[in-house]
Amino acid sequence: MSNSTLPTLPASDRPEVAARLRDALLGASFTADGLLDLLGAPAYAALARSETVPALRATRGDTPLETLVRLFLLQQPVPHARVRDVLPVDACVESGWLTSVGGDEVAATVDVRPYGGPGGEDWFIVSDLGCAVGGAGGIGSRDEGVVLGVGGASTTLAGITVRTPVATALDLGTGSGIQALHAAQHATRVTATDVNPRALHITALTLALSGAPAADLREGSLFDPVRDDETYDLIVSNPPFVISPGARLTYRDGGMGGDDLCRSLVQQAGDRLREGGFAQFLANWQHVEGEDWQDRLRSWVPRGCDAWIVQREVQDITQYAELWLRDAGDHRGDPAAYEALYDAWLDEFEARKVKGVGFGWITLRRTDSDAPSITVEEWPHPVEQPLGDTVRAHFDRVDHLRAHDDAALLAAHFRLAAEVIQEQVGLPGAEDPEHVVLRQHRGMRRATKVDTVGAGFAGVCDGSLSAGRILDAIAQLVGEDPVLLRDRTPAQIRLLVEQGFLEPVD
């Protein structure tokens, strides 16, 4: 379905109407907290899964908040007279937020979903009708130009993004404008691009209705709308990363073969970053028979950039095909057509010798170092969101380790990170543990085995003594040659610093 057959959107050049609408929504507690109070946790959670029946049952009354939920979240027509008491209804109809139906009723032309900002802000994400929840299992729509709202991928990217104040930020493939909205809180100027002009229009509505500054909106694919002389302090993208045979759905299919879109995005980002700037993406990548997936991703990293790539999950090709066929609603159509599409996906993977598809995060940082750091790892375990500070701290530690050889490392001071605990594992009654594990309860929530020296070292790191002084004391306690201990321990210290168990003290 082309954009021309999708419903007409509200006017994006009427900021005064958006401001009045925003005031009315807030006045009726049409916020994330207000919805939770009204609907209750089960119905609120069901709404996030695009299941509307519990919310319909919870909004049978005629309070202002119930009226707004039925209008903007449940796509139910509401009597004009009832809406007049809640919203500037005539202005909303005239500017296209509402449309008259059935003589004496009005209906919303777009989904408007309350969204809580990281600092407690009350924001509103605009999307096409029925598309408030993005991602797998969401809308089940096959409309080509449809614009989705908030999904798990959107919130994941927002959570891992480094949020330091910057001059310029770029949101590639902005969709409904969620990343641009976040960036507007800490970037002086935000540029947002999308190949779909409808997405740019909806981004403008999201920003206006959320009370955020307008962004520089540009139509085009990837970096095409960006001038050659433009660079940024922050680049973020939740791209159409799905690896599919063809490009049916603008919001998910990039139109390039295999994982070429994600590779191109990462490779081109280096030249668009200012010194010290971050580029952060969600991506899919192929696991190709006879090829190491980590080497594949290392080859994507542009020159002059540090990188931290985290694979969060891997699906076999049948799981992957089924996930995205269901996302598009193909499983609810003609069974023969569904089987043909499924077969086409498997043909595509077989031709490319793909045995699985990985999903995860890619973070680049522009560096002037002659020896860039590239970390590629698999971490499918639960993490603590938001992770932006954890990501920034990772690269700070990279800088520290790169600047310190072993002698300098032993002269440095470290502090045990917050909420790290020690676990001793062994048989009951045994005199000594079989091994010792350090475990984080913040950030990446890592766990790592250490020997008794490593455990003892970490346990007394409070920033007051140098690493070398601590090792000398441990050597005296265990009766080991301090020179030999100093010689063999820096590798373990580096690992503990790299993984965030120990923090350098300036």
Side-chain angles (χ1 to χ4, degrees):
M1 184 181 290
S2 66
N3 285 351
S4 61
T5 62
L6 290 169
T8 302
L9 294 172
S12 60
D13 58 352
R14 299 289 301 277
E16 75 286 354
V17 177
R20 290 177 64 193
L21 177 56
R22 171 177 171 78
D23 288 343
L25 297 177
L26 294 175
S29 296
F30 187 69
T31 63
D33 289 341
L35 285 186
L36 183 59
D37 290 341
L38 171 68
L39 302 178
Y44 187 70
L47 201 58
R49 301 189 299 269
S50 290
E51 296 290 350
T52 58
V53 172
L56 283 166
R57 293 172 61 86
T59 55
R60 290 169 172 167
D62 58 1
T63 66
L65 181 54
E66 288 170 299
T67 298
L68 293 175
V69 171
R70 295 181 73 83
L71 189 65
F72 285 116
L73 289 183
L74 304 178
Q75 288 83 59
Q76 302 293 307
V78 177
H80 188 286
R82 185 184 299 175
V83 179
R84 186 187 301 117
D85 295 334
V86 184
L87 300 176
V89 63
D90 293 335
C92 287
V93 170
E94 188 269 333
S95 61
W97 288 95
L98 303 176
T99 185
S100 297
V101 294
D104 63 347
E105 293 184 317
V106 294
T109 59
V110 288
D111 244 311
V112 176
R113 178 154 302 215
Y115 179 76
E121 303 91 346
D122 289 315
W123 293 338
F124 300 98
I125 307 301
V126 180
S127 61
D128 274 310
L129 289 174
C131 304
V133 179
I139 61 164
S141 170
R142 287 172 288 180
D143 295 349
E144 178 188 327
V146 76
V147 179
L148 304 189
V150 180
S154 304
T155 54
T156 294
L157 179 59
I160 67 172
T161 300
V162 176
R163 298 295 176 195
T164 51
V166 294
T168 57
L170 172 64
D171 176 14
L172 284 179
T174 187
S176 56
I178 299 164
Q179 310 308 324
L181 178 58
H182 277 277
Q185 311 309 304
H186 63 103
T188 304
R189 180 169 59 86
V190 176
T191 301
T193 72
D194 205 289
V195 71
N196 183 2
R198 189 175 182 85
L200 297 175
H201 191 132
I202 283 181
T203 290
L205 298 176
T206 290
L207 294 173
L209 197 58
S210 298
D216 178 4
L217 304 176
R218 305 183 191 179
E219 183 180 346
S221 177
L222 300 181
F223 289 99
D224 289 349
V226 179
R227 296 194 308 269
D228 289 342
D229 61 344
E230 288 182 300
T231 55
Y232 297 87
D233 301 300
L234 175 66
I235 299 172
V236 292
S237 184
N238 176 19
F241 52 66
V242 177
I243 300 171
S244 62
R248 289 192 305 146
L249 303 178
T250 304
Y251 71 85
R252 72 167 203 196
D253 303 321
M256 296 186 187
D259 51 18
D260 284 352
L261 181 136
C262 291
R263 176 185 54 79
S264 297
L265 182 62
V266 173
Q267 289 180 338
Q268 294 174 28
D271 291 337
R272 302 298 186 178
L273 279 177
R274 295 179 177 175
E275 188 66 35
F278 287 93
Q280 299 186 261
F281 315 105
L282 301 185
N284 274 170
W285 43 79
Q286 297 173 150
H287 283 234
V288 180
E289 189 175 337
E291 187 176 338
D292 184 280
W293 69 270
Q294 293 181 322
D295 289 343
R296 180 183 187 84
L297 289 174
R298 286 188 185 93
S299 74
W300 290 10
V301 178
R303 291 170 57 182
C305 287
D306 294 323
W308 184 20
I309 301 173
V310 181
Q311 179 168 274
R312 295 290 288 155
E313 63 177 307
V314 183
Q315 291 183 313
D316 68 49
I317 56 176
T318 59
Q319 291 175 312
Y320 189 80
E322 291 163 15
L323 169 70
W324 292 107
L325 288 167
R326 287 180 176 274
D327 174 83
D330 292 309
H331 62 301
R332 292 196 291 265
D334 174 39
Y338 172 80
E339 290 174 7
L341 287 168
Y342 197 154
D343 209 36
W345 283 66
L346 297 186
D347 282 345
E348 178 83 1
F349 285 134
E350 185 177 324
R352 294 179 177 275
K353 298 183 177 180
V354 176
K355 58 183 180 179
V357 179
F359 167 81
W361 321 321
I362 298 176
T363 299
L364 307 177
R365 185 189 59 168
R366 189 76 187 176
T367 179
D368 59 2
S369 172
D370 295 330
S373 166
I374 301 177
T375 300
V376 183
E377 63 175 319
E378 184 166 18
W379 191 253
H381 310 294
V383 299
E384 179 192 43
Q385 284 278 32
L387 271 174
D389 287 345
T390 298
V391 173
R392 179 185 49 76
H394 167 88
F395 288 94
D396 288 345
R397 295 193 303 272
V398 164
D399 284 342
H400 186 277
L401 292 175
R402 189 160 46 201
H404 290 70
D405 60 16
D406 285 357
L409 193 72
L410 293 175
H413 295 237
F414 300 95
R415 180 186 299 113
L416 187 66
E419 296 190 37
V420 172
I421 64 170
Q422 176 179 305
E423 300 173 356
Q424 297 190 166
V425 182
L427 294 173
E431 185 174 342
D432 296 313
E434 292 180 19
H435 56 262
V436 178
V437 174
L438 298 182
R439 188 178 302 278
Q440 301 168 351
H441 282 259
R442 305 295 303 272
M444 292 293 285
R445 294 178 173 162
R446 297 186 187 277
T448 189
K449 290 182 182 180
V450 291
D451 60 20
T452 53
V453 170
F457 180 87
V460 297
C461 275
D462 61 3
S464 61
L465 296 175
S466 69
R469 291 276 304 278
I470 293 173
L471 289 180
D472 290 344
I474 292 175
Q476 188 172 1
L477 283 173
V478 300
E480 187 168 340
D481 184 335
V483 175
L484 293 178
L485 192 61
R486 279 174 171 256
D487 187 54
R488 70 176 177 85
T489 307
Q492 188 170 190
I493 296 174
R494 285 186 182 277
L495 180 64
L496 292 175
V497 173
E498 180 183 321
Q499 294 190 344
F501 290 92
L502 297 177
E503 299 172 347
V505 177
D506 294 332

